[in-house]
Amino acid sequence: MSALPEALSEALAGRFGERFSLAQAVREQHGHGESHHTTAIPDGVVFAETTEDVAETVSLCAEHKVPVIAFGAGTSLEGHLIALKGGISIDLSRMNSILRVSSADLDCTVQAGVTREQLNNDLRDQGLFFPIDPGANASIGGMASTRASGTNAVRYGTMRENVLALTVVLPDGKIIRAGSRARKSSAGYDLTRLFVGSEGTLGIITEVTVKLYGIPETISAALCSFEDVSQAVDTAIAIVQLGIPVARMELMDRGLIAAVNRYSGLDLKLEDTLAFEFHGSPASVEEQVAMVRDIVRDNDGKDFEWASSPEERNRLWKARHNAFYAVVSQRANAKGWSSDVCVPVSELGGCILYTRELLKDCKVPAAILGHVGDGNYHVVFAVDPSNEEEMAEVAGINKQMVKRAISVGGTCTGEHGVGTGKIAYMREEHGNAVDFMALLKHAIDPAGIMNPGKILP
């Protein structure tokens, strides 16, 4: 039985027909992301195809004070999608058109449901690519909403730096456009940055204009291993401090290597490992590789091996992107709990060693991985959500890891977002600024219908 007001259900059914669903299976699909967070299903789902569809849905929900949750590819990790107060989930996955590409200006505009893989497949023939790569085949709208980044952030930045403009539906159903295609502006408040990272709590992003880049002339990857994780981290810090423009620099601890070997059929050495990718001209890539090889050697790294062919590189990065699933697959019927923090690069070694100590006696399969070039690292656990003792143990480790990160000038989340999973740390990290965030939220969404229960305590 739907908890929606009858008048709202009738209005949505009349407007969207079969694109409005009250089916239990459809609602359950839209009540969770990829992680351990408890499913909370919406009361109904609208499959939007245009910005106007979203605006009409939000307007109707605002009239009845019914919550609205945006849904993209469903890959979020911190409980962003759960319908804590029921309401309507607006599925944007059918909004998957690439509206415009300008190779001259190196930008494009896409609907929010376009995924990063879809966009890059479309751009390849034009010699262009979009570099933000969170691992999952996430939607561009969802990536903007959570201020995602990923493996390429050390060179290309995050969604914050790569989103130029947005089309957004506000909580009353009005449509606004924030930003422009200009590469800089001094005109008024920076609304684009306000909505990037707002997780659907201020409005629903329906179109995104992003920066593009030319596909590098040469792309090469390399692996090296270390007997101790501190050596790997010292290597990463030295590379950053010397300004070597690596495109990717990923830490995989030996626990993750073991899981990835089993899951992806690899035979990587069971040691703490750094994986690199280099972009540029043949000469610049050769120079980068030579400099990195010397730093690796100075820190007692071993087996510096190239993976120059596209097949080898793709196999390596596919294995890295499957890290979450590799850890979870170690237990039958497990769920993934992935936590991330980001700290100043100078604090990275101490924080990772501290985290490794926390994991020493952990009864749950776990692994450390990270985008160590920008101080962002993750711990992935394979948990049984029905085991209260186990969940409490992991929650305690997560709490200590986050508190350590904040204490050294870092953040409770570098790229996953707050959702429901990191709300408890917002006050500790931001202090009285949380009250200012709440003022903004109330001014824009006074009825509190936009993705309620997320970000703000």
Side-chain angles (χ1 to χ4, degrees):
M1 185 71 178
S2 173
L4 295 174
E6 186 175 348
L8 176 58
S9 290
E10 290 177 354
L12 292 172
R15 169 63 179 81
F16 295 105
E18 293 183 354
R19 291 194 287 127
F20 170 58
S21 179
L22 298 172
Q24 181 75 13
V26 174
R27 292 161 54 211
E28 286 181 356
Q29 178 190 353
H30 289 78
H32 61 85
E34 289 276 11
S35 62
H36 68 285
H37 294 279
T38 303
T39 297
I41 67 174
D43 299 309
V45 178
V46 169
F47 292 87
E49 296 180 350
T50 65
T51 295
E52 288 69 29
D53 284 351
V54 177
E56 289 186 49
T57 303
V58 171
S59 182
L60 286 167
C61 289
E63 183 181 335
H64 294 276
K65 292 185 169 52
V66 168
V68 180
I69 307 101
F71 188 98
T75 58
S76 68
L77 295 171
E78 289 291 1
H80 304 87
L81 304 176
I82 59 178
L84 292 171
K85 297 185 179 181
I88 295 294
S89 175
I90 303 181
D91 188 314
L92 307 174
S93 61
R94 298 184 187 181
M95 295 181 62
N96 59 359
S97 295
I98 297 170
L99 302 173
R100 179 196 57 79
V101 176
S102 173
S103 56
D105 295 308
L106 292 177
D107 68 27
C108 72
T109 301
V110 302
Q111 287 186 306
V114 170
T115 65
R116 66 171 186 86
E117 289 182 7
Q118 175 194 351
L119 178 58
N120 279 324
N121 287 338
D122 189 84
L123 293 171
R124 186 175 295 119
D125 290 343
Q126 300 181 58
L128 302 172
F129 82 116
F130 177 64
I132 311 305
D133 180 3
N137 188 23
S139 67
I140 302 298
M143 289 166 62
S145 185
T146 56
R147 200 157 55 230
S149 53
T151 58
N152 281 323
V154 63
R155 177 157 181 167
Y156 297 99
T158 73
M159 288 299 282
R160 180 183 66 186
E161 292 81 34
N162 285 282
V163 173
L164 294 170
L166 299 168
T167 299
V168 181
V169 174
L170 297 179
D172 59 1
K174 287 190 178 73
I175 301 168
I176 66 166
R177 286 170 178 81
S180 71
R181 293 175 58 204
R183 291 301 173 111
K184 63 180 183 179
S185 172
S186 296
Y189 300 135
D190 191 346
L191 298 182
T192 308
R193 300 297 170 273
L194 177 63
F195 287 107
V196 172
S198 65
E199 301 181 14
T201 62
L202 303 179
I204 295 179
I205 295 169
T206 60
E207 294 179 8
V208 190
T209 298
V210 295
K211 297 178 184 177
L212 303 177
Y213 298 79
I215 295 175
E217 182 182 359
T218 300
I219 301 175
S220 184
L223 280 174
C224 59
S225 59
F226 300 84
E227 292 183 2
D228 189 274
V229 72
S230 63
Q231 297 170 324
V233 174
D234 288 346
T235 299
I237 291 172
I239 289 168
V240 172
Q241 290 175 338
L242 286 173
I244 302 171
V246 293
R248 286 170 162 159
M249 183 162 53
E250 295 290 295
L251 171 70
M252 298 182 281
D253 82 343
R254 60 194 64 201
L256 179 60
I257 293 294
V260 162
N261 279 348
R262 284 192 296 270
Y263 187 81
S264 297
L266 300 178
D267 57 356
L268 303 175
K269 182 175 287 189
L270 291 177
E271 292 189 331
D272 299 310
T273 298
L274 284 178
F276 303 96
E277 190 166 276
F278 308 93
H279 293 179
S281 67
S284 69
V285 166
E286 187 175 338
E287 182 183 21
Q288 291 173 51
V289 170
M291 294 174 70
V292 168
R293 183 191 287 115
D294 288 344
I295 296 170
V296 168
R297 188 183 300 121
D298 289 344
N299 286 283
D300 297 323
K302 298 175 292 183
D303 304 318
F304 189 88
E305 298 178 357
W306 284 56
S308 295
S309 74
E311 293 77 18
E312 287 180 277
R313 288 200 318 272
N314 291 340
R315 191 169 182 228
L316 168 63
W317 292 118
K318 184 176 182 182
R320 165 60 186 84
H321 287 333
N322 285 336
F324 178 84
Y325 305 107
V327 174
V328 176
S329 72
Q330 295 179 97
R331 296 179 70 184
N333 302 315
K335 289 283 189 181
W337 181 327
S338 181
S339 181
D340 86 305
V341 296
C342 191
V343 298
V345 172
S346 61
E347 299 287 349
L348 185 62
C351 286
I352 288 181
L353 289 173
Y354 175 75
T355 301
R356 176 164 274 186
E357 282 297 310
L358 293 176
L359 296 177
K360 188 176 290 183
D361 298 318
C362 181
K363 303 179 185 68
V364 174
I368 298 173
L369 59 150
H371 319 309
V372 287
D374 53 18
N376 184 201
Y377 72 98
H378 310 248
V379 178
V380 180
F381 302 88
V383 299
D384 174 5
S386 66
N387 187 322
E388 293 183 9
E389 181 180 345
E390 181 175 300
M391 294 296 281
E393 179 186 16
V394 173
I397 293 171
N398 178 54
K399 181 177 182 178
Q400 292 180 74
M401 185 175 96
V402 169
K403 284 182 172 294
R404 173 62 179 259
I406 293 173
S407 73
V408 298
T411 176
C412 66
T413 173
E415 61 184 12
H416 290 177
V418 178
T420 59
K422 293 289 178 68
I423 283 181
Y425 309 107
M426 288 291 284
R427 179 72 64 178
E428 186 170 350
E429 179 174 337
H430 295 290
N432 291 336
V434 172
D435 299 325
F436 185 66
M437 295 180 199
L439 283 172
L440 287 172
K441 164 72 170 171
H442 182 72
I444 296 169
D445 180 24
I449 67 168
M450 305 304 288
N451 207 9
K454 315 298 164 59
I455 297 185
L456 293 172

